[in-house]
């Protein structure tokens, strides 16, 4: 299956931490993330985030600068659409990829479906809720059974699922991954700072849930993850530290496995 709307490039980044910066939590969304730059293997990109009058994300533009600060090689814009302030679709106009959103009777996001050429289904996630929090996400892929250009010739097949445990602060503390045979693949345990996660709103809309970035659903910023693989007994522990601005927001971090630097905010 072709990747869509996110890039997965494993990268570990550890920055110097201001020891006193994360002691005082700040108010909910006093600042909005408006841009950041990436730096991966010598080439980079700048991402700009636009908001509408309701302060909902209306678009994101990626401008790839090439190697060593060369002029822009490529830019790509993703547009966001809403129905009563709930995301209804996002689209990448240059390649006609579209993600569509559906909601249950209580207004919770119940599924997201990725399409190529606007109508060809490729991937879907089904989202289950309990007490106002996501507890399970099931992923399915679509298998072609006939003419590739006819959406009716695609059959949905279960692929895998994750189970999520969120704490009272809205942070993801445990994530379990299971195969389509319900075999436990891995267990992730997370720790956080007390500072606001600037990517929460963007990830809630754009995230794929199966991209190893599920911690971005959280209120705060991940500072540690312990990954356990039951089949092999392997345990991996990663620590993350950040610099913070005067409002308590990180000046560096991650989004979609890419290093985020020079994070810029609009604060009220």
């Amino acid at each position: 299956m072709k990747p869509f709307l996110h890039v997965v490039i494993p990268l570990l980044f550890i920055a110097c931490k201001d020891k006193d910066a994360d002691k005082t939590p700040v108010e909910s969304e006093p600042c909005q993330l408006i841009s950041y730059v990436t730096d991966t293997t010598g080439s980079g990109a700048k991402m700009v985030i636009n908001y509408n009058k309701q302060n909902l994300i209306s678009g994101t533009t990626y401008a790839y600068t090439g190697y060593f600060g060369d002029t822009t090689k490529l830019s790509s814009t993703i547009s966001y659409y809403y129905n009563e302030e709930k995301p209804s679709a996002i689209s990448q106009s240059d390649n006609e990829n579209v993600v569509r959103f559906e909601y249950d009777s209580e207004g919770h996001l119940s599924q997201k479906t990725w399409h190529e050429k606007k109508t060809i289904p490729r991937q879907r996630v089904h989202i289950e809720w309990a007490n106002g929090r996501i507890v399970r996400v099931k992923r399915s892929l679509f298998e072609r059974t006939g003419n590739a250009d006819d959406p009716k010739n695609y059959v949905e097949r279960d692929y895998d699922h994750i189970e999520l445990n969120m704490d009272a602060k809205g942070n993801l503390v445990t994530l379990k991954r299971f195969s389509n045979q319900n075999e436990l693949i891995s267990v992730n345990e997370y720790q956080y700072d007390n500072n606001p996660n600037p990517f929460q709103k963007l990830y809630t809309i754009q995230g794929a849930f199966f991209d190893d970035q599920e911690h971005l659903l959280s209120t705060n910023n991940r500072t540690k993850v312990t990954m356990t693989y039951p089949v092999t007994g392997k345990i991996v522990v990663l620590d993350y530290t950040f610099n913070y601005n005067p409002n308590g927001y990180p000046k560096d971090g991650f989004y979609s496995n890419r290093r985020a630097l020079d994070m810029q905010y609009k604060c009220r």
Side-chain angles (χ1 to χ4, degrees):
M1 176 181 170
K2 297 180 180 178
F4 173 57
L5 294 184
H6 64 274
V7 180
V8 180
I9 302 177
L11 180 66
L12 175 63
F13 169 58
I14 299 178
C16 298
K17 184 176 182 180
D18 183 339
K19 295 181 179 179
D20 296 323
D22 63 343
K23 291 183 178 179
T24 305
V26 299
E27 297 177 6
S28 175
E29 283 198 274
C31 297
Q32 292 179 329
L33 178 66
I34 57 174
S35 72
Y36 69 91
V37 297
T38 66
D39 181 12
T40 57
T41 62
S43 65
K46 182 175 183 179
M47 175 174 161
V48 177
I49 305 171
N50 299 311
Y51 299 83
N52 64 19
K53 293 181 179 179
Q54 291 76 37
N55 288 327
L56 301 172
I57 295 172
S58 60
T60 55
T61 300
Y62 300 82
Y64 297 92
T65 57
Y67 289 89
F68 308 111
D70 290 348
T71 55
T72 299
K73 303 295 184 182
L74 175 68
S75 64
S76 179
T77 299
I78 300 173
S79 300
Y80 301 76
Y81 304 92
Y82 297 86
N83 182 8
E84 296 181 354
E85 298 194 355
K86 291 183 180 296
S88 59
I90 59 178
S91 67
Q92 198 166 0
S93 58
D94 56 352
N95 59 16
E96 297 187 325
N97 286 334
V98 178
V99 182
R100 294 188 174 90
F101 299 72
E102 295 183 30
Y103 297 84
D104 62 23
S105 59
E106 297 181 355
H108 295 136
L109 177 64
S110 59
Q111 68 179 36
K112 295 171 64 174
T113 307
W114 283 255
H115 300 81
E116 289 183 357
K117 299 180 180 179
K118 296 184 179 180
T119 61
I120 304 301
R122 289 301 188 186
Q123 174 178 296
R124 176 174 289 155
V125 294
H126 300 265
I127 302 164
E128 299 178 14
W129 297 74
N131 300 318
R133 301 199 184 280
I134 298 174
V135 295
R136 184 177 294 103
V137 182
K138 298 179 180 179
R139 176 169 57 168
S140 57
L141 304 180
F142 287 84
E143 179 181 317
R144 181 165 64 89
T145 60
N147 184 346
D149 294 326
D150 187 349
K152 295 180 181 179
N153 290 330
Y154 290 84
V155 177
E156 186 175 2
R157 307 289 190 193
D158 291 341
Y159 190 73
D160 55 6
H161 75 275
I162 55 177
E163 295 182 357
L164 302 87
N165 178 28
M166 311 285 287
D167 66 15
K169 295 175 65 176
N171 289 326
L172 174 62
V173 292
T174 306
L175 183 145
K176 297 180 179 180
R177 299 184 186 278
F178 296 84
S179 71
N180 60 354
Q181 302 297 322
N182 206 36
E183 299 168 328
L184 181 61
I185 298 172
S186 63
V187 179
N188 288 5
E189 298 172 281
Y190 302 95
Q191 296 180 20
Y192 297 85
D193 61 14
N194 291 317
N195 297 68
N197 163 27
F199 290 112
Q200 184 181 30
K201 180 180 288 188
L202 183 60
Y203 186 81
T204 300
I205 304 172
Q206 193 174 333
F209 295 102
F210 292 85
D211 54 6
D212 292 324
Q213 300 294 300
E214 297 88 357
H215 63 92
L216 291 174
L217 290 167
S218 300
T219 303
N220 303 120
N221 303 286
R222 172 193 61 183
T223 57
K224 184 176 183 177
V225 57
T226 301
M227 297 173 285
T228 303
Y229 301 90
V231 174
T232 63
K234 182 179 180 180
I235 298 176
V236 177
V237 180
L238 299 175
D239 293 290
Y240 302 86
T241 56
F242 307 96
N243 287 317
Y244 301 89
N245 70 12
N247 295 93
Y249 282 75
K251 295 190 291 185
D252 41 49
F254 291 90
Y255 185 68
S256 293
N257 270 347
R258 304 193 70 169
R259 179 175 174 178
L261 302 171
D262 191 26
M263 295 165 67
Q264 299 295 311
Y265 298 90
K266 179 181 179 182
C267 299
R268 62 172 186 256

